[in-house]
Amino acid sequence: MTQMNGRQRVLAALAGEPVDRTPICNPTSVATVELMDLVDAPFPDANRDGELMARLAATGYTELGFDTIMPVFSIIQDSSALGCKIQWEQKDNWPTVKMREPIWQDADDIHIPPDFLTHPDTACVMESIRILKRDYGDEVAIIGKTMGPWSLAYHCFGVEMFLLLSLDDPGKTKLILDRLKKATIDFGIAQIEAGADALTLPDHATGDLVSGEWYSRYLRDLHKEFAEELPVPLIMHICGKTLDRMPAIAETGFAAFHYDSKNDPADAMEILRDRIALVGNINNPETLFARGPEEVSAEVFENLDAGVPLIGPECAIPLQTPLDNLRAIPAAVRQWHDQHPNQHPNGNGTGDAGGRQDG
Amino acid sequence: MIRTDLGRRIELVAMDAHFHDITVALHRAVDADGRPAYDINSYSTRPGADERLAVIAAAMQEVAGLQAVPGAPLRVRFACGDAHEQATRRAFIEASKLDPGQPLTARPMAIYDKKTDATIEVVPEGGGLYRAGADAAGAKVVRRVATVAGGLVKLAGMEPIPASIDQVRFACGQDHHKLVAMLLKLALNARGVLREQELAAARGVLAAPSQQR
């Protein structure tokens, strides 16, 4: 098969089309403190300055060898523009929303500010995407990120309050989600216009707090709307055990689901094969952070053996992750393909349509 | 460019408080003669970063007793030829904390302990064997001495001596007075030191919004 560049490879895999090898994809951050030093773009500034954000994000391609660049490291850019109070932290930690200080109490309080897309913390995202598109857009896929309304509701109303509301008042819960979706769409469209090839859409109906039935009740139809409104491949991201909601996620029209290491790759592929792509699921806190390249490679191989079409970390990696472990991901993908020379992902080769067979 | 000539990273100081918050790492290395050694590295391009790494290397030598490796200014090792990896990681962290404006001096092998109002000391008995003791008596002091011995095991990977609550030794059979002296103060609260280390390592691990506050 003709050799592809990273952008072609990622977009083909997200479309379920044949690729020359499995793409290495990070729908979420691969920034580390050492990469921040390498390009002199440390947190928190790299979360607030488009040029620094682009410079740090590019290392995912230039230094680590991924097929994607994803500059939206945090999950708070849009929430900051909505008015949430942010703890920006230092170089070695993630900015977070101060959820103990919610900005809204009721659906009628929801107000998307007129400067939502020109606020410095959203505008810097568009600026970084424009820079990356200019400098790397012909080589790798540029992935943006817009938070889903469930996540935004956590940030704006507080986790506890919003979860209790979802139990007590489904109507008001749906009203909140419906009113917040404009923020998700507007921020997504702005990033697409800036040059994003695909968008990650995290919506933290996580396995530890929300059941699969909850996902179908509150989010599936909303997510279908996003798939219709946002004209690029969308990558849904939800942490935790999510096998129970994967069938519903597959109905949304999203291109891919970015899944957590708490889910077995073969089990996940059994559910999603031929429906939407999977991205993941190299474990962060134990494997990438605390173990070595051998263990990273083993998890990459497990995903490839299961037919997972895009390989990457399960979520935003810990900021102290060793670089050797990150570089082990692309190395392991190439090693696997060297050992399986006739296996071309997504059916071009000896595998079945829609998946690989182990040689 | 990321260096590909470094061994496995075994310790990281994410923000060096004494030099522009740069990140400093300790990597395993092997000397030309096959002996275990350690490389100190930073990816910072700030002017003066290499000099800062040299200061940390010097502190590890002066305060913890590692030795320089000729021709490799940012490489250190133990003269005994043993890796002593756990102790080296601790020495690296402590060296990075030292104020570079102050002279480097080896620490004493005795320390005043407020909890027992006694001076706790570690006495070398030769061949890598050390005995913790105090200039006072009583059950509380005995427990404190045992705590110090246990702390040295936890922090430096020293070996406990069977049936002894106050003796520990290095498996290499060599003395490491400076290292023991550096660890003495920390050994009084080894659990707290390790907890602090865990917390520092856990910073930067992103929690899902449902786990945040």
Side-chain angles (χ1 to χ4, degrees):
Chain A
M1 185 174 186
T2 308
Q3 187 173 356
M4 302 171 121
N5 67 28
R7 181 171 186 272
Q8 295 166 332
R9 195 174 287 128
V10 169
L11 294 179
L14 290 173
E17 296 168 356
V19 289
D20 61 341
R21 67 154 167 79
T22 306
I24 301 107
C25 174
N26 59 302
T28 49
S29 168
V30 288
T32 73
V33 287
E34 289 182 297
L35 291 174
M36 292 176 206
D37 272 4
L38 190 69
V39 294
D40 196 18
F43 280 11
D45 295 349
N47 290 303
R48 309 196 77 183
D49 177 307
E51 200 277 329
L52 296 182
M53 185 180 274
R55 205 193 300 168
L56 178 57
T59 60
Y61 167 56
T62 60
E63 301 297 329
L64 303 179
F66 282 49
D67 293 305
T68 49
I69 297 178
M70 212 301 296
V72 198
F73 311 114
S74 81
I75 58 172
I76 55 85
Q77 308 291 146
D78 16 14
S79 296
S80 177
L82 287 174
C84 292
K85 294 172 185 171
I86 307 296
Q87 178 79 34
W88 284 103
E89 294 287 349
Q90 295 176 288
K91 174 187 177 184
D92 65 342
N93 211 356
W94 293 95
T96 54
V97 172
K98 295 179 180 176
M99 285 187 283
R100 289 184 184 276
E101 301 175 45
I103 56 171
W104 296 327
Q105 277 75 47
D106 188 86
D108 288 339
D109 296 337
I110 295 175
H111 169 68
I112 311 296
D115 70 342
F116 178 61
L117 296 177
T118 54
H119 185 285
D121 294 329
T122 46
C124 66
V125 170
M126 274 72 86
E127 185 192 354
S128 74
I129 289 173
R130 277 190 289 271
I131 293 169
L132 292 166
K133 189 69 179 175
R134 180 194 68 203
D135 294 347
Y136 303 101
D138 294 335
E139 303 161 48
V140 290
I142 310 297
I143 300 183
K145 186 203 284 178
T146 183
M147 302 300 290
W150 193 273
S151 294
L152 293 175
Y154 278 169
H155 286 169
C156 297
F157 290 88
V159 173
E160 190 175 345
M161 182 274 176
F162 186 70
L163 283 175
L164 289 172
L165 187 74
S166 72
L167 289 167
D168 296 341
D169 194 337
K172 191 169 278 188
T173 304
K174 287 182 178 178
L175 184 60
I176 286 173
L177 294 170
D178 196 60
R179 288 181 177 176
L180 282 169
K181 75 182 179 193
K182 178 175 165 41
T184 303
I185 292 170
D186 287 357
F187 194 30
I189 292 286
Q191 291 176 64
I192 294 166
E193 289 174 351
D197 293 308
L199 291 175
T200 302
L201 202 154
D203 216 4
H204 290 88
T206 52
D208 57 341
L209 292 180
V210 175
S211 70
E213 190 268 331
W214 234 236
Y215 177 83
S216 296
R217 181 189 298 182
Y218 287 117
L219 290 174
R220 180 185 51 198
D221 292 345
L222 210 51
H223 288 171
K224 283 181 182 175
E225 286 187 52
F226 294 144
E228 290 165 4
E229 296 279 342
L230 296 166
V232 292
L234 300 182
I235 305 169
M236 163 64 54
H237 170 86
I238 301 178
C239 306
K241 292 180 182 175
T242 48
L243 290 175
D244 62 353
R245 65 213 66 188
M246 284 186 191
I249 290 169
E251 295 171 8
T252 58
F254 275 54
F257 180 56
H258 184 211
Y259 80 126
D260 191 302
S261 63
K262 292 188 178 71
N263 308 281
D264 179 71
D267 291 345
M269 279 304 293
E270 186 67 27
I271 295 168
L272 295 182
R273 193 185 301 271
D274 295 333
R275 302 177 75 183
I276 64 173
L278 262 180
V279 190
N281 71 348
I282 313 307
N283 176 280
N284 279 343
E286 292 169 14
T287 308
L288 279 171
F289 179 49
R291 294 187 183 159
E294 301 79 16
E295 290 87 351
V296 173
S297 297
E299 290 193 19
V300 171
F301 296 155
E302 187 184 1
N303 273 278
L304 289 168
D305 289 343
V308 172
L310 297 103
I311 303 296
E314 61 179 340
C315 191
I317 61 159
L319 297 174
Q320 298 185 29
T321 301
L323 298 176
D324 281 353
N325 286 355
L326 293 169
R327 287 162 59 93
I329 298 174
V333 169
R334 289 186 176 87
Q335 183 186 344
W336 190 91
H337 279 287
D338 286 345
Q339 293 168 353
H340 302 73
N342 297 319
Q343 303 283 330
H344 295 292
N346 289 325
N348 185 19
T350 57
D352 292 336
R356 281 181 301 272
Q357 292 179 341
D358 196 0
Chain B
M1 289 278 288
I2 294 176
R3 289 179 62 178
T4 55
D5 59 329
L6 292 168
R8 183 155 176 177
R9 197 187 81 191
I10 56 168
E11 195 55 76
L12 187 79
V13 174
M15 292 174 63
D16 179 356
H18 295 297
F19 193 77
H20 302 290
D21 291 337
I22 68 169
T23 299
V24 186
L26 183 70
H27 293 257
R28 281 183 196 146
V30 180
D31 265 351
D33 58 6
R35 294 164 58 186
Y38 301 92
D39 288 327
I40 301 165
N41 181 61
S42 173
Y43 285 106
S44 175
T45 55
R46 280 181 176 273
D50 282 348
E51 289 79 1
R52 170 61 184 150
L53 300 186
V55 167
I56 293 174
M60 291 177 76
Q61 294 161 39
E62 186 56 41
V63 179
L66 284 98
Q67 66 175 197
V69 177
L74 300 180
R75 178 169 286 187
V76 290
R77 67 184 178 195
F78 278 104
C80 65
D82 196 292
H84 294 308
E85 183 168 306
Q86 200 174 338
T88 308
R89 291 173 61 189
R90 174 53 49 193
F92 172 70
I93 292 171
E94 291 305 308
S96 72
K97 289 179 182 174
L98 293 174
D99 181 350
Q102 299 298 315
L104 293 171
T105 52
R107 294 175 184 170
M109 293 184 76
I111 188 170
Y112 173 70
D113 176 38
K114 206 186 312 181
K115 280 192 177 178
T116 53
D117 190 26
T119 295
I120 307 278
E121 62 178 352
V122 181
V123 179
E125 298 190 327
L129 184 67
Y130 292 83
R131 181 187 294 273
D135 63 354
K140 198 172 177 181
V141 172
V142 170
R143 281 199 301 273
R144 203 70 174 138
V145 165
T147 296
V148 167
L152 292 172
V153 172
K154 287 192 183 94
L155 295 171
M158 295 177 75
E159 294 178 341
I161 303 298
S164 171
I165 62 166
D166 57 5
Q167 285 179 300
V168 289
R169 72 177 164 211
F170 287 104
C172 65
Q174 303 291 311
D175 290 339
H176 294 287
H177 297 346
K178 285 184 174 178
L179 180 61
V180 171
M182 181 202 78
L183 292 169
L184 175 56
K185 183 178 178 184
L186 305 173
L188 285 165
N189 182 25
R191 196 178 297 174
V193 170
L194 294 173
R195 178 73 183 139
E196 182 189 325
Q197 192 173 341
E198 282 173 15
L199 288 174
R203 278 178 71 82
V205 178
L206 184 64
S210 57
Q211 304 298 316
Q212 295 176 10
R213 296 187 182 279

